[in-house]
Amino acid sequence: MKTATFGKLFSCTVDGAIYAQPLWVANLTIGTTKHNVIIVGTQHDSVYAFDADSNANPCIRFGMPTCSTLPTAAL
């Protein structure tokens, strides 16, 4: 590893803060194309999958369902 080739290549916009470690997946097939993907979750319950090799829009973005309150009888 050389300092000239190590470091931040680009940044991507998400809808809130990211408090957890991003997940990196190598050679993930999306459609018919393989991508190196970074997966992150935000404080607003959104999950993003970014192509780790380009500064393109997210490959995938989806929101997590909100939790509903269980009735007391179900506890």
Coordinates of all heavy atoms in Angstrom, one line a residue:
M1 N 0.8 -1.2 0.0 CA 0.0 0.0 0.0 C 0.9 1.2 0.0 O 1.9 1.3 0.7 CB -0.9 0.0 1.2 CG -1.9 1.0 1.2 SD -3.0 1.0 2.7 CE -3.5 -0.7 2.8
K2 N 0.5 2.2 -0.8 CA 1.3 3.4 -0.9 C 0.4 4.6 -0.5 O -0.8 4.6 -0.8 CB 1.8 3.6 -2.3 CG 2.8 2.6 -2.8 CD 3.2 2.8 -4.2 CE 4.0 1.6 -4.7 NZ 4.4 1.8 -6.1
T3 N 1.0 5.6 0.1 CA 0.2 6.7 0.5 C -0.4 7.5 -0.7 O -1.4 8.1 -0.5 CB 1.0 7.7 1.4 OG1 2.2 8.1 0.7 CG2 1.4 7.0 2.7
A4 N 0.3 7.4 -1.8 CA -0.2 8.1 -3.0 C -1.5 7.5 -3.5 O -2.3 8.1 -4.2 CB 0.8 8.1 -4.1
T5 N -1.8 6.2 -3.2 CA -2.9 5.5 -3.8 C -4.0 5.1 -2.7 O -4.9 4.5 -3.0 CB -2.5 4.2 -4.6 OG1 -1.8 3.4 -3.7 CG2 -1.7 4.6 -5.8
F6 N -3.7 5.5 -1.5 CA -4.6 5.2 -0.4 C -5.3 6.5 0.1 O -4.7 7.5 0.3 CB -3.9 4.6 0.8 CG -4.7 4.2 2.0 CD1 -5.4 3.0 1.9 CD2 -4.8 5.0 3.1 CE1 -6.3 2.7 3.0 CE2 -5.6 4.7 4.1 CZ -6.4 3.5 4.1
G7 N -6.6 6.4 0.3 CA -7.4 7.5 0.8 C -8.8 7.6 0.2 O -9.2 6.7 -0.6
K8 N -9.5 8.6 0.5 CA -10.8 8.8 0.1 C -10.9 9.2 -1.4 O -10.2 10.1 -1.9 CB -11.4 10.0 0.9 CG -12.9 10.3 0.6 CD -13.4 11.2 1.6 CE -14.0 12.4 1.0 NZ -14.6 13.3 2.0
L9 N -11.7 8.4 -2.1 CA -11.8 8.6 -3.6 C -13.0 9.6 -3.9 O -12.9 10.4 -4.8 CB -12.0 7.3 -4.3 CG -10.9 6.3 -4.2 CD1 -11.3 5.0 -4.9 CD2 -9.6 6.8 -4.7
F10 N -14.1 9.4 -3.2 CA -15.2 10.2 -3.4 C -16.2 10.1 -2.2 O -15.9 9.2 -1.3 CB -16.0 9.8 -4.7 CG -16.3 8.4 -4.8 CD1 -17.4 7.8 -4.2 CD2 -15.4 7.5 -5.5 CE1 -17.7 6.5 -4.3 CE2 -15.7 6.2 -5.6 CZ -16.9 5.7 -5.0
S11 N -17.2 10.9 -2.1 CA -18.2 10.7 -1.1 C -19.6 10.7 -1.7 O -19.8 11.1 -2.9 CB -18.1 11.9 -0.1 OG -18.4 13.1 -0.7
C12 N -20.5 10.1 -1.0 CA -21.9 9.9 -1.5 C -22.9 10.5 -0.5 O -22.7 10.4 0.7 CB -22.2 8.5 -1.8 SG -21.1 7.7 -2.9
T13 N -24.0 11.1 -1.0 CA -25.0 11.7 -0.1 C -26.0 10.6 0.3 O -26.5 9.8 -0.5 CB -25.7 12.8 -0.9 OG1 -24.7 13.8 -1.3 CG2 -26.7 13.5 0.0
V14 N -26.3 10.7 1.6 CA -27.4 9.8 2.2 C -28.3 10.7 3.0 O -28.1 11.9 3.2 CB -26.8 8.7 3.1 CG1 -26.0 7.7 2.2 CG2 -26.0 9.2 4.2
D15 N -29.4 10.1 3.5 CA -30.5 11.0 4.1 C -30.3 11.1 5.6 O -31.2 11.6 6.3 CB -31.8 10.4 3.8 CG -32.1 9.0 4.4 OD1 -31.1 8.5 5.0 OD2 -33.2 8.5 4.3
G16 N -29.2 10.8 6.2 CA -28.9 10.9 7.6 C -27.6 10.4 8.0 O -26.8 10.0 7.1
A17 N -27.3 10.5 9.3 CA -26.0 10.1 9.8 C -25.9 8.6 9.7 O -26.8 7.8 9.8 CB -25.8 10.5 11.2
I18 N -24.6 8.1 9.5 CA -24.3 6.7 9.5 C -23.5 6.4 10.8 O -22.4 7.0 10.9 CB -23.5 6.3 8.3 CG1 -24.3 6.6 7.0 CG2 -23.0 4.8 8.3 CD1 -23.5 6.5 5.7
Y19 N -24.0 5.6 11.7 CA -23.3 5.4 13.0 C -22.6 4.0 13.0 O -21.9 3.7 13.9 CB -24.3 5.5 14.1 CG -24.8 6.9 14.3 CD1 -26.2 7.2 14.1 CD2 -24.0 7.9 14.7 CE1 -26.7 8.4 14.3 CE2 -24.4 9.2 14.8 CZ -25.8 9.5 14.7 OH -26.3 10.7 14.8
A20 N -22.9 3.1 12.0 CA -22.3 1.8 12.0 C -21.2 1.6 11.0 O -21.1 2.5 10.0 CB -23.4 0.8 11.8
Q21 N -20.5 0.6 11.1 CA -19.4 0.3 10.1 C -20.1 -0.1 8.8 O -21.0 -0.9 8.7 CB -18.6 -0.9 10.6 CG -17.4 -1.2 9.8 CD -16.3 -0.2 9.8 OE1 -16.1 0.5 10.8 NE2 -15.6 0.0 8.7
P22 N -19.6 0.5 7.7 CA -20.1 0.1 6.4 C -19.7 -1.3 6.0 O -18.7 -1.8 6.5 CB -19.5 1.0 5.4 CG -19.0 2.2 6.2 CD -18.7 1.6 7.5
L23 N -20.6 -2.0 5.3 CA -20.3 -3.4 4.8 C -19.8 -3.3 3.4 O -20.5 -2.7 2.5 CB -21.6 -4.2 4.9 CG -21.5 -5.6 4.4 CD1 -20.5 -6.5 5.2 CD2 -22.9 -6.3 4.4
W24 N -18.7 -3.9 3.1 CA -18.1 -4.0 1.7 C -18.3 -5.4 1.2 O -18.0 -6.4 1.9 CB -16.6 -3.7 1.7 CG -16.0 -3.7 0.4 CD1 -16.2 -2.9 -0.7 CD2 -15.1 -4.7 -0.1 NE1 -15.5 -3.3 -1.8 CE2 -14.7 -4.4 -1.4 CE3 -14.5 -5.8 0.5 CZ2 -13.9 -5.1 -2.1 CZ3 -13.6 -6.5 -0.2 CH2 -13.3 -6.2 -1.6
V25 N -18.9 -5.5 0.0 CA -19.1 -6.8 -0.6 C -18.5 -6.8 -2.0 O -18.8 -5.9 -2.8 CB -20.7 -7.1 -0.8 CG1 -20.9 -8.5 -1.4 CG2 -21.4 -7.0 0.5
A26 N -17.6 -7.8 -2.2 CA -16.9 -7.8 -3.5 C -17.6 -8.7 -4.5 O -18.2 -9.7 -4.2 CB -15.5 -8.4 -3.3
N27 N -17.6 -8.2 -5.8 CA -18.2 -9.0 -6.9 C -19.7 -9.3 -6.7 O -20.1 -10.4 -7.0 CB -17.4 -10.2 -7.2 CG -16.0 -9.8 -7.6 OD1 -15.8 -8.9 -8.4 ND2 -15.0 -10.5 -7.0
L28 N -20.5 -8.4 -6.1 CA -21.9 -8.7 -6.0 C -22.6 -8.5 -7.3 O -22.4 -7.4 -8.0 CB -22.5 -7.7 -4.9 CG -24.0 -7.8 -4.7 CD1 -24.3 -9.1 -4.0 CD2 -24.4 -6.6 -3.8
T29 N -23.4 -9.4 -7.8 CA -24.1 -9.3 -9.0 C -25.4 -8.6 -8.8 O -26.2 -9.0 -8.1 CB -24.4 -10.7 -9.7 OG1 -23.1 -11.4 -9.8 CG2 -25.1 -10.6 -11.0
I30 N -25.5 -7.4 -9.5 CA -26.8 -6.7 -9.5 C -27.2 -6.6 -11.0 O -26.5 -6.1 -11.8 CB -26.5 -5.2 -9.0 CG1 -26.0 -5.3 -7.5 CG2 -27.8 -4.4 -9.1 CD1 -25.6 -4.0 -6.9
G31 N -28.4 -7.2 -11.2 CA -28.8 -7.4 -12.6 C -27.9 -8.4 -13.2 O -27.9 -9.6 -12.8
T32 N -27.1 -8.0 -14.2 CA -26.2 -8.9 -14.9 C -24.8 -8.5 -14.7 O -23.9 -9.1 -15.3 CB -26.5 -9.1 -16.4 OG1 -26.5 -7.8 -17.0 CG2 -27.9 -9.7 -16.6
T33 N -24.6 -7.4 -13.9 CA -23.2 -6.8 -13.8 C -22.7 -7.0 -12.4 O -23.4 -6.9 -11.4 CB -23.3 -5.3 -14.1 OG1 -23.9 -5.1 -15.3 CG2 -21.9 -4.7 -14.1
K34 N -21.4 -7.4 -12.3 CA -20.8 -7.5 -11.0 C -20.2 -6.2 -10.5 O -19.7 -5.4 -11.3 CB -19.6 -8.5 -11.0 CG -20.1 -9.9 -11.2 CD -19.0 -10.9 -11.0 CE -19.6 -12.3 -11.1 NZ -18.7 -13.3 -10.6
H35 N -20.4 -5.9 -9.2 CA -20.0 -4.6 -8.6 C -19.3 -4.9 -7.3 O -19.7 -5.9 -6.6 CB -21.2 -3.7 -8.3 CG -22.0 -3.3 -9.5 ND1 -21.7 -2.2 -10.2 CD2 -23.1 -3.9 -10.1 CE1 -22.6 -2.0 -11.2 NE2 -23.4 -3.0 -11.1
N36 N -18.3 -4.1 -6.9 CA -17.9 -4.0 -5.6 C -18.8 -3.0 -4.9 O -18.9 -1.9 -5.4 CB -16.4 -3.6 -5.5 CG -15.5 -4.6 -6.1 OD1 -15.7 -5.8 -5.9 ND2 -14.5 -4.1 -6.9
V37 N -19.4 -3.4 -3.8 CA -20.5 -2.6 -3.2 C -20.2 -2.3 -1.8 O -19.7 -3.1 -1.0 CB -21.9 -3.4 -3.3 CG1 -23.0 -2.7 -2.6 CG2 -22.2 -3.6 -4.8
I38 N -20.6 -1.0 -1.4 CA -20.5 -0.6 0.0 C -22.0 -0.4 0.4 O -22.8 0.3 -0.2 CB -19.8 0.8 0.1 CG1 -18.4 0.7 -0.3 CG2 -20.0 1.3 1.6 CD1 -17.5 -0.1 0.6
I39 N -22.4 -1.1 1.5 CA -23.7 -1.0 2.0 C -23.7 -0.3 3.4 O -22.9 -0.6 4.2 CB -24.3 -2.5 2.2 CG1 -24.3 -3.2 0.9 CG2 -25.7 -2.4 2.8 CD1 -24.7 -4.6 1.0
V40 N -24.6 0.7 3.5 CA -24.7 1.5 4.7 C -26.1 1.7 5.1 O -27.0 1.7 4.2 CB -24.0 2.9 4.6 CG1 -22.5 2.8 4.3 CG2 -24.6 3.7 3.5
G41 N -26.4 1.8 6.4 CA -27.7 2.2 6.9 C -27.6 3.5 7.6 O -26.6 3.9 8.2
T42 N -28.7 4.3 7.5 CA -28.7 5.6 8.1 C -29.7 5.7 9.3 O -30.5 4.8 9.6 CB -29.2 6.7 7.1 OG1 -30.6 6.5 6.9 CG2 -28.4 6.6 5.8
Q43 N -29.5 6.8 10.1 CA -30.4 7.0 11.2 C -31.9 7.1 10.9 O -32.7 7.0 11.7 CB -29.9 8.3 12.0 CG -30.3 9.5 11.2 CD -29.8 10.8 11.9 OE1 -28.6 11.0 11.8 NE2 -30.6 11.5 12.5
H44 N -32.2 7.3 9.6 CA -33.6 7.4 9.1 C -34.1 6.1 8.5 O -35.0 6.1 7.8 CB -33.7 8.6 8.1 CG -33.4 9.9 8.7 ND1 -34.1 10.5 9.7 CD2 -32.3 10.8 8.5 CE1 -33.6 11.7 10.1 NE2 -32.5 11.8 9.3
D45 N -33.4 5.0 8.9 CA -33.9 3.7 8.5 C -33.8 3.5 7.0 O -34.6 2.7 6.4 CB -35.3 3.4 9.0 CG -35.3 3.3 10.5 OD1 -34.3 2.9 11.2 OD2 -36.4 3.7 11.1
S46 N -32.9 4.1 6.3 CA -32.7 3.9 4.9 C -31.4 3.0 4.8 O -30.5 3.2 5.5 CB -32.5 5.2 4.1 OG -33.7 5.9 4.2
V47 N -31.4 2.2 3.8 CA -30.2 1.3 3.5 C -29.8 1.7 2.0 O -30.7 1.7 1.1 CB -30.5 -0.2 3.6 CG1 -29.3 -1.0 3.2 CG2 -30.9 -0.5 5.1
Y48 N -28.5 1.9 1.8 CA -28.0 2.3 0.5 C -26.9 1.2 0.1 O -26.2 0.8 1.0 CB -27.3 3.6 0.5 CG -28.2 4.8 0.8 CD1 -28.6 5.2 2.0 CD2 -28.6 5.6 -0.3 CE1 -29.4 6.3 2.2 CE2 -29.5 6.7 -0.1 CZ -29.8 7.0 1.2 OH -30.6 8.1 1.4
A49 N -26.9 0.9 -1.2 CA -25.8 0.1 -1.7 C -25.2 0.9 -2.8 O -25.8 1.3 -3.8 CB -26.4 -1.2 -2.3
F50 N -23.9 1.3 -2.6 CA -23.2 2.1 -3.5 C -22.1 1.3 -4.3 O -21.5 0.4 -3.7 CB -22.4 3.3 -2.8 CG -23.3 4.3 -2.2 CD1 -23.6 4.3 -0.9 CD2 -23.8 5.3 -3.0 CE1 -24.4 5.2 -0.3 CE2 -24.7 6.3 -2.4 CZ -25.0 6.2 -1.1
D51 N -21.9 1.6 -5.5 CA -20.8 1.0 -6.3 C -19.5 1.6 -5.7 O -19.3 2.8 -5.7 CB -20.9 1.3 -7.8 CG -19.9 0.6 -8.6 OD1 -18.8 0.3 -8.1 OD2 -20.2 0.2 -9.7
A52 N -18.7 0.7 -5.1 CA -17.5 1.2 -4.4 C -16.4 1.7 -5.4 O -15.4 2.3 -5.0 CB -16.9 0.0 -3.6
D53 N -16.6 1.4 -6.7 CA -15.5 1.8 -7.7 C -15.9 3.0 -8.5 O -15.1 3.4 -9.4 CB -15.3 0.6 -8.6 CG -14.8 -0.6 -7.8 OD1 -13.9 -0.4 -6.9 OD2 -15.2 -1.7 -8.1
S54 N -17.1 3.6 -8.3 CA -17.5 4.8 -9.0 C -18.3 5.8 -8.2 O -18.8 5.4 -7.2 CB -18.3 4.4 -10.3 OG -19.6 4.1 -9.9
N55 N -18.3 7.0 -8.6 CA -19.0 8.0 -7.9 C -20.4 8.2 -8.5 O -20.9 9.3 -8.6 CB -18.2 9.4 -8.0 CG -18.8 10.4 -7.0 OD1 -19.6 10.1 -6.2 ND2 -18.4 11.6 -7.3
A56 N -21.1 7.1 -8.8 CA -22.4 7.1 -9.4 C -23.5 7.2 -8.3 O -23.2 7.1 -7.1 CB -22.6 5.9 -10.3
N57 N -24.7 7.3 -8.8 CA -25.8 7.3 -7.9 C -25.9 5.9 -7.2 O -25.3 5.0 -7.7 CB -27.1 7.5 -8.6 CG -27.2 8.9 -9.1 OD1 -26.8 9.9 -8.5 ND2 -27.9 9.1 -10.3
P58 N -26.6 5.8 -6.1 CA -26.7 4.5 -5.4 C -27.2 3.4 -6.4 O -28.1 3.6 -7.2 CB -27.7 4.7 -4.3 CG -27.9 6.1 -4.1 CD -27.4 6.8 -5.4
C59 N -26.6 2.2 -6.3 CA -27.1 1.1 -7.1 C -28.5 0.7 -6.6 O -29.4 0.4 -7.3 CB -26.2 -0.1 -6.9 SG -24.6 0.0 -7.5
I60 N -28.7 0.8 -5.2 CA -30.0 0.4 -4.6 C -30.2 1.3 -3.4 O -29.2 1.6 -2.7 CB -29.9 -1.1 -4.1 CG1 -29.7 -2.0 -5.3 CG2 -31.2 -1.4 -3.4 CD1 -29.4 -3.4 -4.8
R61 N -31.4 1.7 -3.2 CA -31.8 2.4 -2.0 C -33.2 2.0 -1.5 O -34.1 1.9 -2.4 CB -31.8 3.9 -2.2 CG -32.2 4.7 -0.9 CD -32.5 6.2 -1.2 NE -33.0 6.8 0.1 CZ -34.2 6.9 0.5 NH1 -35.2 6.3 -0.3 NH2 -34.5 7.5 1.6
F62 N -33.3 1.6 -0.3 CA -34.6 1.2 0.2 C -34.8 1.6 1.6 O -33.8 1.7 2.4 CB -35.0 -0.3 0.0 CG -34.0 -1.2 0.6 CD1 -34.3 -1.7 1.9 CD2 -32.9 -1.6 0.0 CE1 -33.5 -2.6 2.5 CE2 -32.0 -2.5 0.6 CZ -32.3 -3.0 1.9
G63 N -36.0 1.8 2.1 CA -36.3 2.2 3.4 C -36.7 1.0 4.2 O -37.3 0.0 3.7
M64 N -36.4 0.9 5.5 CA -36.8 -0.2 6.4 C -38.2 0.1 6.8 O -38.6 1.3 7.1 CB -35.9 -0.3 7.5 CG -34.4 -0.5 7.1 SD -34.2 -2.1 6.3 CE -34.5 -3.2 7.6
P65 N -39.0 -0.9 7.0 CA -40.4 -0.7 7.5 C -40.3 -0.1 9.0 O -39.4 -0.5 9.7 CB -41.0 -2.1 7.5 CG -39.9 -3.0 7.5 CD -38.7 -2.3 6.8
T66 N -41.3 0.7 9.3 CA -41.3 1.2 10.7 C -41.9 0.2 11.6 O -42.8 -0.6 11.2 CB -42.1 2.5 10.7 OG1 -43.4 2.3 10.2 CG2 -41.5 3.6 9.9
C67 N -41.5 0.2 12.8 CA -42.1 -0.7 13.8 C -43.4 -0.2 14.3 O -43.6 1.0 14.5 CB -41.1 -0.9 15.0 SG -39.5 -1.6 14.5
S68 N -44.3 -1.1 14.5 CA -45.6 -0.7 15.1 C -45.6 -1.2 16.6 O -45.0 -2.2 16.9 CB -46.8 -1.3 14.3 OG -46.7 -2.7 14.3
T69 N -46.4 -0.6 17.4 CA -46.6 -1.0 18.8 C -47.4 -2.2 18.9 O -48.5 -2.3 18.3 CB -47.2 0.2 19.6 OG1 -46.4 1.3 19.4 CG2 -47.2 -0.2 21.1
L70 N -46.9 -3.2 19.6 CA -47.7 -4.4 19.8 C -48.8 -4.2 20.9 O -48.5 -3.5 21.9 CB -46.8 -5.6 20.3 CG -45.9 -6.1 19.3 CD1 -45.0 -7.2 19.9 CD2 -46.6 -6.8 18.1
P71 N -50.0 -4.7 20.8 CA -50.9 -4.6 21.9 C -50.4 -5.3 23.1 O -49.6 -6.3 23.0 CB -52.2 -5.3 21.3 CG -51.9 -5.7 19.9 CD -50.4 -5.5 19.7
T72 N -50.8 -4.8 24.3 CA -50.3 -5.4 25.5 C -50.6 -6.9 25.6 O -49.8 -7.7 26.1 CB -51.0 -4.7 26.7 OG1 -50.8 -3.3 26.6 CG2 -50.4 -5.1 28.0
A73 N -51.7 -7.3 25.1 CA -52.1 -8.8 25.2 C -51.1 -9.6 24.4 O -51.0 -10.8 24.7 CB -53.5 -9.0 24.6
A74 N -50.4 -9.1 23.4 CA -49.5 -9.8 22.6 C -48.1 -10.0 23.3 O -47.3 -10.8 22.9 CB -49.2 -9.1 21.3
L75 N -47.9 -9.3 24.4 CA -46.6 -9.4 25.1 C -46.6 -10.5 26.1 O -47.0 -11.1 26.7 CB -46.3 -8.1 25.9 CG -46.2 -6.9 24.9 CD1 -46.0 -5.6 25.8 CD2 -45.0 -7.1 24.0

